[in-house]
Amino acid sequence: MTVATDRQTTPPSADHPSGDKRFKVLDATMKRNQFSQDALIEILHKAQEIFGYLEEDVLLYVARGLKLPLSRVFGVATFYHLFSLKPSGKHTCVVCLGTACYVKGAGDLLKMLDQEVHLKPGETTEDGQMSLVTARCIGACGIAPAVVYDGKVLGKQTEDSVLMAVQPWLGNS
Amino acid sequence: MDIKELREIASTTRQKQTKTRIRCCSAAGCLSSEGEAVKKNLETAIAEAGLGEKVEVCGVGCMKFCGRGPLVAVDDHDQLYEFVTPDQVGDIVKKLQESDAVAETGLISGDPHHPFYALQRNIALENSGNIDPESIDEYIALGGYEQMYKVIHEMTPGEVITEIDKSGLRGRGGGGYPTGLKWATVAKMPGQQKYVICNADEGDPGAFMDRSVLESDPHRILEGMAIAGYAVGANHGYIYVRAEYPLAIKRLQKAIQQARRYGLMGTQIFDSPIDFKVDIRVGAGAFVCGEETALIASVEGKRGNPRPRPPYPAQSGLWASPTLINNVETYANVVPIIREGGDWYASIGTEKSKGTKVFALTGKVENAGLIEVPMGTTVRQVVEEMGGGVPDGGKVKAVQTGGPSGGCIPGDKLDTPIEYDTLLALGTMMGSGGMIVMDESTNMVDVAQFYMDFCKSESCGKCIPCRAGTVQLYDLLTRFLEGEATQTDLAKLENLCYMVKETSLCGLGMSAPNPVISTLRYFRHEYEALLKV
């Protein structure tokens, strides 16, 4: 799962009307896929990696690039779980909710996060530091329950270990 | 590339492998518990100890005992270490140098002859944990791509299909459709352009077999797909893999590049007129895309909505061309079948279910990991003998197979042999191979609700029975769990289950109520105990 979290602002460039250089990378991706309409999902993956999430501008840009109606692009972007139309936090904590993780207590981990950090799945803290996400199954069932912290998978998690891991992201509040 | 060159690569690679091999598991499970650091530290420690001449550290695919990772095996010493931490590598090296002379080191020795391993019969997983998945040479050293050569130069497409047919292989994605028949149907279709698709969208929560095969032996899948392509007359293949499996994607990409560089993929393979190329399509998280018509829509870059069948993909699939879709494990079985013959494969397993099946054994079980057993092995053997039963002497309450499309096998039916039909008779199914053990502490109504929550959010929404039915089922189950349900609700729940099952458009909706139906069948008292008095 690639969740780009670092949304930096790039200096204006003369190459693109919006002045955002990231569109150039997106252009290159579309070109590499020969602007083929069936590569829409790959291109959205890349777009999300570059921009962190799929803002309306990006969807419009992709639609125009691939000569697709915006409704089609929007439909695909909202259909698949991995695409996010909202910005995510700086750090991401993904709790796996596969059956193996669930019977071994992943549900309790979520309850704890709700109580201690006041985050429900899909939410981001007010300061934009941390997002909580759930995954359907990350296929690491042998070490259930598994949690992914900023892309790093850790197995056999407990309420304490999760709290310890996310604490540094929460500042001192 | 011709066969001489291929065999040359094989023999030079084998000659190079004279050193003692230390195999470090480099599959997802072990990598998540510091497996990479273990391997790095081992490499440094071996070099520092001056053992570089004699010992070689090798990152291999899944070594199966995932619950005890990171795993490290020292080949010549028949030694297996479990739960290895990066700072323990010094002890492993000391043991290598001084054999048994080292006292207590804190290293946990595993038993390579543990029933967990001893009762396995590895066919699909034969290379897994033995070779470096990122090295095409190691795959070739074990006879890789020889079968592709054999079918192209020595067999007609018809003969290949006959061999697959003889093997009795049935689709390992869960449905169990005869693979030979599927191949024959696609082969018979007229038309120039045909496609081969590998379904690697392992959406079942609690299953990781496909992930392990892709991470451990990617070339095996490519070779299997190429053989399938030759048999049905397709020159283009797609692997549809979940985005949640980044390591599998990376290794597949690498494998495709290597094969292309060696001339084993692309045009004129093995100096024959045969072309075959493979592209990867990364999914974006939708369980319904495991369903073949939805998967095809997704490969075409659309929403993963299923469509009614017929026409089946074999007649009209990707871009309306005849398309062969098989699951990862099915392709993994192709090479051994061609190598050893269909009759050999058919001699393993039971009358109606041939060969072996890979399961991901997890949940409340002592030994979690990946197992491959001949069909006909009983659930008890798997859960109790290989899996070591529930930790701390607990009792097995149920074993869930088949993911959200499956159901539960109750504790008193553990002696059932694992076959497509016996599992169906129990109200569950083979599925892609998740096997989740539940103990007495598990609340079955809660589990049913968990699956319904999954299905309602994964429903694509195209047909009403699935879209609205799963939500209603979920709400009814919630009423039970909140103690609000009445006898009428129980009847409603049951009726609705069958209605959703019979009227849904695709496999997702048809099977969504299965966990409820099967828990109602075996654990009805738990539902009744929750009724409002």
Side-chain angles (χ1 to χ4, degrees), chain A residues 72-127:
Chain A
R72 163 91 183 274
V73 177
F74 190 75
V76 168
T78 49
F79 183 83
Y80 295 97
H81 301 299
L82 285 180
F83 295 134
S84 166
L85 275 64
K86 281 187 298 191
S88 57
K90 196 163 173 227
H91 300 281
T92 320
C93 171
V94 186
V95 177
C96 179
L97 269 190
T99 320
C101 292
Y102 186 74
V103 300
K104 289 192 132 182
D108 297 335
L109 301 182
L110 288 178
K111 258 183 229 153
M112 183 281 294
L113 284 168
D114 188 14
Q115 275 165 13
E116 302 287 327
V117 190
H118 311 295
L119 272 188
K120 286 197 170 60
E123 290 180 350
T124 304
T125 50
E126 271 173 29
D127 57 3

Short mmCIF file of all heavy atoms in Angstrom, two decimals, chain A residues 72-127:
data_model
loop_
_atom_site.label_atom_id
_atom_site.label_comp_id
_atom_site.label_asym_id
_atom_site.label_seq_id
_atom_site.Cartn_x
_atom_site.Cartn_y
_atom_site.Cartn_z
N ARG A 72 -16.67 9.03 -15.31
CA ARG A 72 -16.02 7.72 -15.32
C ARG A 72 -14.82 7.72 -14.37
O ARG A 72 -14.64 6.79 -13.58
CB ARG A 72 -15.61 7.42 -16.76
CG ARG A 72 -14.60 6.34 -16.95
CD ARG A 72 -15.21 4.97 -17.16
NE ARG A 72 -14.15 4.00 -17.25
CZ ARG A 72 -13.51 3.71 -18.36
NH1 ARG A 72 -13.87 4.24 -19.49
NH2 ARG A 72 -12.52 2.83 -18.36
N VAL A 73 -14.02 8.77 -14.43
CA VAL A 73 -12.84 8.86 -13.57
C VAL A 73 -13.26 8.94 -12.11
O VAL A 73 -12.73 8.25 -11.24
CB VAL A 73 -11.98 10.09 -13.96
CG1 VAL A 73 -10.79 10.24 -13.03
CG2 VAL A 73 -11.52 9.96 -15.39
N PHE A 74 -14.28 9.76 -11.85
CA PHE A 74 -14.78 9.91 -10.49
C PHE A 74 -15.36 8.58 -9.99
O PHE A 74 -15.14 8.16 -8.86
CB PHE A 74 -15.84 11.01 -10.46
CG PHE A 74 -16.25 11.40 -9.08
CD1 PHE A 74 -15.42 12.18 -8.28
CD2 PHE A 74 -17.46 10.97 -8.54
CE1 PHE A 74 -15.80 12.54 -7.01
CE2 PHE A 74 -17.84 11.32 -7.26
CZ PHE A 74 -17.00 12.11 -6.50
N GLY A 75 -16.08 7.91 -10.88
CA GLY A 75 -16.68 6.62 -10.53
C GLY A 75 -15.63 5.60 -10.12
O GLY A 75 -15.80 4.88 -9.14
N VAL A 76 -14.55 5.56 -10.87
CA VAL A 76 -13.49 4.60 -10.54
C VAL A 76 -12.80 5.01 -9.24
O VAL A 76 -12.54 4.19 -8.37
CB VAL A 76 -12.48 4.50 -11.71
CG1 VAL A 76 -11.23 3.75 -11.30
CG2 VAL A 76 -13.14 3.81 -12.90
N ALA A 77 -12.53 6.31 -9.11
CA ALA A 77 -11.81 6.77 -7.92
C ALA A 77 -12.60 6.51 -6.64
O ALA A 77 -12.03 6.25 -5.59
CB ALA A 77 -11.50 8.26 -8.04
N THR A 78 -13.93 6.56 -6.74
CA THR A 78 -14.71 6.34 -5.52
C THR A 78 -15.04 4.86 -5.31
O THR A 78 -15.38 4.46 -4.22
CB THR A 78 -16.04 7.13 -5.57
OG1 THR A 78 -16.66 6.88 -6.82
CG2 THR A 78 -15.82 8.61 -5.40
N PHE A 79 -14.93 4.06 -6.35
CA PHE A 79 -15.28 2.65 -6.23
C PHE A 79 -14.26 1.88 -5.41
O PHE A 79 -14.60 1.03 -4.59
CB PHE A 79 -15.38 2.03 -7.63
CG PHE A 79 -15.82 0.60 -7.63
CD1 PHE A 79 -17.17 0.28 -7.56
CD2 PHE A 79 -14.91 -0.44 -7.70
CE1 PHE A 79 -17.59 -1.04 -7.55
CE2 PHE A 79 -15.33 -1.76 -7.70
CZ PHE A 79 -16.67 -2.06 -7.62
N TYR A 80 -12.99 2.18 -5.63
CA TYR A 80 -11.93 1.39 -5.00
C TYR A 80 -11.50 2.01 -3.67
O TYR A 80 -11.33 3.22 -3.57
CB TYR A 80 -10.74 1.28 -5.95
CG TYR A 80 -11.06 0.51 -7.21
CD1 TYR A 80 -11.41 1.16 -8.39
CD2 TYR A 80 -11.05 -0.88 -7.21
CE1 TYR A 80 -11.72 0.45 -9.54
CE2 TYR A 80 -11.36 -1.59 -8.36
CZ TYR A 80 -11.70 -0.92 -9.51
OH TYR A 80 -12.01 -1.63 -10.64
N HIS A 81 -11.32 1.12 -2.70
CA HIS A 81 -11.02 1.61 -1.34
C HIS A 81 -9.70 2.33 -1.19
O HIS A 81 -9.54 3.16 -0.32
CB HIS A 81 -11.00 0.43 -0.37
CG HIS A 81 -12.28 -0.30 -0.33
ND1 HIS A 81 -13.45 0.32 0.05
CD2 HIS A 81 -12.60 -1.57 -0.63
CE1 HIS A 81 -14.43 -0.56 -0.03
NE2 HIS A 81 -13.95 -1.71 -0.44
N LEU A 82 -8.75 1.96 -2.03
CA LEU A 82 -7.42 2.52 -1.82
C LEU A 82 -7.30 3.97 -2.27
O LEU A 82 -6.34 4.64 -1.94
CB LEU A 82 -6.37 1.67 -2.54
CG LEU A 82 -6.07 0.35 -1.87
CD1 LEU A 82 -5.02 -0.41 -2.66
CD2 LEU A 82 -5.56 0.56 -0.46
N PHE A 83 -8.26 4.41 -3.06
CA PHE A 83 -8.20 5.79 -3.50
C PHE A 83 -8.89 6.68 -2.48
O PHE A 83 -9.98 6.38 -2.00
CB PHE A 83 -8.87 5.96 -4.87
CG PHE A 83 -8.15 5.22 -5.96
CD1 PHE A 83 -8.85 4.46 -6.88
CD2 PHE A 83 -6.77 5.27 -6.06
CE1 PHE A 83 -8.18 3.76 -7.88
CE2 PHE A 83 -6.09 4.58 -7.05
CZ PHE A 83 -6.81 3.82 -7.97
N SER A 84 -8.21 7.77 -2.16
CA SER A 84 -8.76 8.66 -1.16
C SER A 84 -8.97 10.04 -1.77
O SER A 84 -8.09 10.57 -2.43
CB SER A 84 -7.79 8.74 0.02
OG SER A 84 -8.16 9.82 0.83
N LEU A 85 -10.16 10.59 -1.55
CA LEU A 85 -10.45 11.92 -2.08
C LEU A 85 -10.23 13.00 -1.03
O LEU A 85 -10.50 14.18 -1.26
CB LEU A 85 -11.88 11.97 -2.64
CG LEU A 85 -12.02 11.47 -4.08
CD1 LEU A 85 -11.70 10.02 -4.24
CD2 LEU A 85 -13.39 11.76 -4.64
N LYS A 86 -9.79 12.54 0.15
CA LYS A 86 -9.53 13.49 1.23
C LYS A 86 -8.05 13.42 1.58
O LYS A 86 -7.45 12.35 1.51
CB LYS A 86 -10.34 13.10 2.47
CG LYS A 86 -11.79 13.49 2.41
CD LYS A 86 -12.46 13.22 3.76
CE LYS A 86 -12.43 11.76 4.10
NZ LYS A 86 -13.24 11.35 5.21
N PRO A 87 -7.47 14.53 1.99
CA PRO A 87 -6.06 14.44 2.39
C PRO A 87 -5.90 13.57 3.63
O PRO A 87 -6.78 13.55 4.49
CB PRO A 87 -5.69 15.90 2.69
CG PRO A 87 -6.97 16.62 2.87
CD PRO A 87 -8.01 15.88 2.09
N SER A 88 -4.82 12.85 3.68
CA SER A 88 -4.60 12.03 4.86
C SER A 88 -3.57 12.70 5.75
O SER A 88 -2.91 13.66 5.35
CB SER A 88 -4.12 10.66 4.43
OG SER A 88 -2.95 10.78 3.67
N GLY A 89 -3.46 12.20 6.96
CA GLY A 89 -2.55 12.80 7.92
C GLY A 89 -1.10 12.57 7.53
O GLY A 89 -0.79 11.87 6.58
N LYS A 90 -0.20 13.17 8.33
CA LYS A 90 1.21 13.03 8.06
C LYS A 90 1.65 11.58 8.27
O LYS A 90 2.46 11.05 7.55
CB LYS A 90 1.98 13.98 8.99
CG LYS A 90 3.39 14.22 8.56
CD LYS A 90 3.97 15.44 9.25
CE LYS A 90 5.45 15.53 8.90
NZ LYS A 90 6.29 15.77 10.05
N HIS A 91 1.08 10.98 9.30
CA HIS A 91 1.40 9.58 9.58
C HIS A 91 0.12 8.75 9.45
O HIS A 91 -0.97 9.23 9.70
CB HIS A 91 1.93 9.42 11.00
CG HIS A 91 3.17 10.21 11.25
ND1 HIS A 91 4.41 9.79 10.82
CD2 HIS A 91 3.37 11.40 11.87
CE1 HIS A 91 5.31 10.69 11.16
NE2 HIS A 91 4.70 11.69 11.80
N THR A 92 0.31 7.51 9.06
CA THR A 92 -0.86 6.65 8.90
C THR A 92 -0.69 5.37 9.70
O THR A 92 0.36 4.74 9.69
CB THR A 92 -1.05 6.26 7.42
OG1 THR A 92 -0.77 7.38 6.62
CG2 THR A 92 -2.44 5.76 7.16
N CYS A 93 -1.75 5.02 10.39
CA CYS A 93 -1.76 3.76 11.14
C CYS A 93 -2.86 2.90 10.53
O CYS A 93 -4.03 3.27 10.53
CB CYS A 93 -2.06 4.08 12.60
SG CYS A 93 -2.36 2.65 13.61
N VAL A 94 -2.47 1.76 9.96
CA VAL A 94 -3.44 0.88 9.33
C VAL A 94 -3.63 -0.35 10.20
O VAL A 94 -2.69 -1.11 10.42
CB VAL A 94 -2.98 0.43 7.92
CG1 VAL A 94 -4.07 -0.37 7.23
CG2 VAL A 94 -2.57 1.62 7.08
N VAL A 95 -4.83 -0.53 10.71
CA VAL A 95 -5.10 -1.73 11.50
C VAL A 95 -5.71 -2.77 10.58
O VAL A 95 -6.72 -2.51 9.92
CB VAL A 95 -6.07 -1.41 12.66
CG1 VAL A 95 -6.40 -2.68 13.43
CG2 VAL A 95 -5.46 -0.37 13.58
N CYS A 96 -5.08 -3.93 10.50
CA CYS A 96 -5.60 -4.98 9.63
C CYS A 96 -6.84 -5.59 10.28
O CYS A 96 -6.83 -5.91 11.46
CB CYS A 96 -4.55 -6.05 9.38
SG CYS A 96 -5.18 -7.37 8.34
N LEU A 97 -7.89 -5.72 9.49
CA LEU A 97 -9.12 -6.31 10.01
C LEU A 97 -9.46 -7.62 9.30
O LEU A 97 -10.61 -7.97 9.11
CB LEU A 97 -10.29 -5.33 9.84
CG LEU A 97 -10.56 -4.39 11.00
CD1 LEU A 97 -11.87 -3.68 10.79
CD2 LEU A 97 -10.61 -5.13 12.34
N GLY A 98 -8.43 -8.34 8.89
CA GLY A 98 -8.66 -9.67 8.34
C GLY A 98 -9.20 -10.56 9.44
O GLY A 98 -9.11 -10.24 10.62
N THR A 99 -9.78 -11.70 9.06
CA THR A 99 -10.41 -12.56 10.05
C THR A 99 -9.43 -13.00 11.13
O THR A 99 -9.75 -13.03 12.32
CB THR A 99 -11.01 -13.80 9.39
OG1 THR A 99 -11.59 -13.40 8.17
CG2 THR A 99 -12.05 -14.44 10.27
N ALA A 100 -8.22 -13.36 10.71
CA ALA A 100 -7.25 -13.84 11.68
C ALA A 100 -6.93 -12.75 12.69
O ALA A 100 -6.88 -12.98 13.90
CB ALA A 100 -5.99 -14.30 10.97
N CYS A 101 -6.73 -11.54 12.19
CA CYS A 101 -6.44 -10.42 13.07
C CYS A 101 -7.65 -10.13 13.96
O CYS A 101 -7.51 -9.81 15.14
CB CYS A 101 -6.07 -9.18 12.27
SG CYS A 101 -4.49 -9.33 11.43
N TYR A 102 -8.84 -10.26 13.37
CA TYR A 102 -10.05 -9.96 14.13
C TYR A 102 -10.24 -10.91 15.29
O TYR A 102 -10.47 -10.49 16.43
CB TYR A 102 -11.26 -9.99 13.20
CG TYR A 102 -12.54 -9.54 13.88
CD1 TYR A 102 -12.75 -8.20 14.16
CD2 TYR A 102 -13.50 -10.47 14.26
CE1 TYR A 102 -13.91 -7.78 14.79
CE2 TYR A 102 -14.67 -10.06 14.89
CZ TYR A 102 -14.87 -8.72 15.16
OH TYR A 102 -16.01 -8.31 15.79
N VAL A 103 -10.09 -12.23 15.04
CA VAL A 103 -10.30 -13.16 16.15
C VAL A 103 -9.18 -13.05 17.17
O VAL A 103 -9.31 -13.50 18.30
CB VAL A 103 -10.47 -14.65 15.71
CG1 VAL A 103 -11.64 -14.82 14.79
CG2 VAL A 103 -9.21 -15.20 15.09
N LYS A 104 -8.08 -12.44 16.77
CA LYS A 104 -7.00 -12.27 17.74
C LYS A 104 -6.98 -10.87 18.34
O LYS A 104 -5.99 -10.45 18.92
CB LYS A 104 -5.66 -12.62 17.10
CG LYS A 104 -5.53 -14.12 16.87
CD LYS A 104 -4.13 -14.49 16.53
CE LYS A 104 -3.66 -15.67 17.34
NZ LYS A 104 -2.27 -16.01 17.04
N GLY A 105 -8.05 -10.13 18.15
CA GLY A 105 -8.19 -8.89 18.93
C GLY A 105 -7.98 -7.58 18.21
O GLY A 105 -7.79 -6.55 18.86
N ALA A 106 -8.02 -7.57 16.87
CA ALA A 106 -7.84 -6.30 16.17
C ALA A 106 -8.97 -5.32 16.52
O ALA A 106 -8.76 -4.11 16.58
CB ALA A 106 -7.80 -6.52 14.66
N GLY A 107 -10.16 -5.87 16.79
CA GLY A 107 -11.28 -5.03 17.17
C GLY A 107 -10.99 -4.25 18.45
O GLY A 107 -11.36 -3.08 18.60
N ASP A 108 -10.31 -4.92 19.39
CA ASP A 108 -9.97 -4.25 20.65
C ASP A 108 -8.97 -3.11 20.43
O ASP A 108 -9.01 -2.10 21.13
CB ASP A 108 -9.38 -5.27 21.64
CG ASP A 108 -10.39 -6.34 21.99
OD1 ASP A 108 -11.60 -6.05 21.88
OD2 ASP A 108 -9.98 -7.46 22.35
N LEU A 109 -8.07 -3.33 19.45
CA LEU A 109 -7.09 -2.28 19.16
C LEU A 109 -7.83 -1.02 18.69
O LEU A 109 -7.50 0.09 19.09
CB LEU A 109 -6.11 -2.73 18.08
CG LEU A 109 -5.28 -3.99 18.36
CD1 LEU A 109 -4.33 -4.25 17.19
CD2 LEU A 109 -4.48 -3.84 19.66
N LEU A 110 -8.84 -1.22 17.84
CA LEU A 110 -9.60 -0.07 17.35
C LEU A 110 -10.36 0.61 18.48
O LEU A 110 -10.42 1.84 18.54
CB LEU A 110 -10.58 -0.52 16.26
CG LEU A 110 -9.96 -0.89 14.92
CD1 LEU A 110 -11.03 -1.37 13.96
CD2 LEU A 110 -9.21 0.30 14.32
N LYS A 111 -10.92 -0.20 19.37
CA LYS A 111 -11.65 0.38 20.51
C LYS A 111 -10.71 1.23 21.36
O LYS A 111 -11.06 2.33 21.79
CB LYS A 111 -12.22 -0.77 21.37
CG LYS A 111 -13.71 -0.98 21.12
CD LYS A 111 -14.23 -2.07 22.03
CE LYS A 111 -15.03 -3.08 21.24
NZ LYS A 111 -15.07 -4.40 21.81
N MET A 112 -9.51 0.69 21.55
CA MET A 112 -8.53 1.42 22.37
C MET A 112 -8.18 2.75 21.70
O MET A 112 -8.14 3.80 22.35
CB MET A 112 -7.29 0.53 22.53
CG MET A 112 -6.19 1.10 23.39
SD MET A 112 -5.16 2.32 22.59
CE MET A 112 -4.34 1.33 21.36
N LEU A 113 -7.95 2.70 20.37
CA LEU A 113 -7.58 3.93 19.66
C LEU A 113 -8.71 4.96 19.74
O LEU A 113 -8.46 6.16 19.85
CB LEU A 113 -7.24 3.62 18.20
CG LEU A 113 -5.87 2.98 18.00
CD1 LEU A 113 -5.73 2.44 16.58
CD2 LEU A 113 -4.75 3.97 18.28
N ASP A 114 -9.94 4.47 19.71
CA ASP A 114 -11.08 5.37 19.81
C ASP A 114 -11.09 6.04 21.19
O ASP A 114 -11.27 7.26 21.31
CB ASP A 114 -12.36 4.57 19.58
CG ASP A 114 -13.58 5.47 19.49
OD1 ASP A 114 -13.39 6.69 19.34
OD2 ASP A 114 -14.71 4.96 19.60
N GLN A 115 -10.84 5.24 22.22
CA GLN A 115 -10.88 5.78 23.58
C GLN A 115 -9.69 6.69 23.90
O GLN A 115 -9.84 7.76 24.45
CB GLN A 115 -10.88 4.63 24.60
CG GLN A 115 -12.29 4.11 24.84
CD GLN A 115 -12.26 2.77 25.55
OE1 GLN A 115 -11.22 2.34 26.05
NE2 GLN A 115 -13.39 2.09 25.57
N GLU A 116 -8.50 6.23 23.52
CA GLU A 116 -7.30 6.94 23.94
C GLU A 116 -6.92 8.07 22.98
O GLU A 116 -6.42 9.10 23.40
CB GLU A 116 -6.12 5.96 24.05
CG GLU A 116 -6.36 4.81 25.01
CD GLU A 116 -6.32 5.26 26.46
OE1 GLU A 116 -5.55 6.20 26.75
OE2 GLU A 116 -7.07 4.69 27.28
N VAL A 117 -7.08 7.84 21.69
CA VAL A 117 -6.62 8.83 20.72
C VAL A 117 -7.80 9.56 20.09
O VAL A 117 -7.64 10.55 19.38
CB VAL A 117 -5.75 8.13 19.64
CG1 VAL A 117 -5.06 9.15 18.76
CG2 VAL A 117 -4.71 7.23 20.27
N HIS A 118 -9.03 9.08 20.38
CA HIS A 118 -10.25 9.65 19.82
C HIS A 118 -10.26 9.64 18.29
O HIS A 118 -10.58 10.63 17.65
CB HIS A 118 -10.48 11.08 20.34
CG HIS A 118 -10.35 11.15 21.83
ND1 HIS A 118 -11.24 10.50 22.65
CD2 HIS A 118 -9.43 11.72 22.62
CE1 HIS A 118 -10.87 10.70 23.91
NE2 HIS A 118 -9.78 11.42 23.92
N LEU A 119 -9.84 8.53 17.73
CA LEU A 119 -9.88 8.38 16.28
C LEU A 119 -10.69 7.15 15.92
O LEU A 119 -10.51 6.09 16.52
CB LEU A 119 -8.46 8.19 15.73
CG LEU A 119 -7.65 9.42 15.38
CD1 LEU A 119 -6.36 9.01 14.69
CD2 LEU A 119 -8.43 10.37 14.50
N LYS A 120 -11.56 7.32 14.96
CA LYS A 120 -12.28 6.17 14.42
C LYS A 120 -11.68 5.89 13.03
O LYS A 120 -11.08 6.77 12.43
CB LYS A 120 -13.77 6.49 14.30
CG LYS A 120 -14.48 6.51 15.63
CD LYS A 120 -16.00 6.42 15.43
CE LYS A 120 -16.73 6.19 16.72
NZ LYS A 120 -16.55 7.25 17.74
N PRO A 121 -11.86 4.65 12.52
CA PRO A 121 -11.30 4.34 11.21
C PRO A 121 -11.75 5.36 10.17
O PRO A 121 -12.92 5.74 10.12
CB PRO A 121 -11.87 2.97 10.89
CG PRO A 121 -12.12 2.35 12.21
CD PRO A 121 -12.48 3.46 13.13
N GLY A 122 -10.80 5.84 9.37
CA GLY A 122 -11.12 6.80 8.32
C GLY A 122 -10.93 8.23 8.78
O GLY A 122 -11.05 9.16 7.98
N GLU A 123 -10.63 8.43 10.06
CA GLU A 123 -10.50 9.80 10.56
C GLU A 123 -9.04 10.22 10.68
O GLU A 123 -8.14 9.39 10.76
CB GLU A 123 -11.16 9.91 11.94
CG GLU A 123 -12.67 9.80 11.88
CD GLU A 123 -13.31 9.91 13.26
OE1 GLU A 123 -12.59 9.89 14.28
OE2 GLU A 123 -14.53 10.01 13.30
N THR A 124 -8.86 11.51 10.70
CA THR A 124 -7.53 12.09 10.86
C THR A 124 -7.57 13.04 12.05
O THR A 124 -8.59 13.71 12.27
CB THR A 124 -7.13 12.88 9.59
OG1 THR A 124 -7.21 11.98 8.48
CG2 THR A 124 -5.73 13.43 9.67
N THR A 125 -6.51 13.09 12.81
CA THR A 125 -6.50 14.00 13.96
C THR A 125 -6.59 15.45 13.48
O THR A 125 -6.23 15.76 12.34
CB THR A 125 -5.19 13.85 14.78
OG1 THR A 125 -4.10 13.92 13.88
CG2 THR A 125 -5.16 12.55 15.54
N GLU A 126 -7.07 16.31 14.36
CA GLU A 126 -7.31 17.70 13.95
C GLU A 126 -6.05 18.40 13.47
O GLU A 126 -6.09 19.23 12.57
CB GLU A 126 -7.94 18.49 15.11
CG GLU A 126 -9.45 18.40 15.10
CD GLU A 126 -10.05 19.03 16.33
OE1 GLU A 126 -9.44 19.98 16.87
OE2 GLU A 126 -11.13 18.57 16.74
N ASP A 127 -4.93 18.05 14.08
CA ASP A 127 -3.68 18.70 13.67
C ASP A 127 -3.07 18.05 12.43
O ASP A 127 -1.97 18.40 12.02
CB ASP A 127 -2.67 18.70 14.83
CG ASP A 127 -2.38 17.30 15.34
OD1 ASP A 127 -2.93 16.34 14.75
OD2 ASP A 127 -1.62 17.15 16.31
#
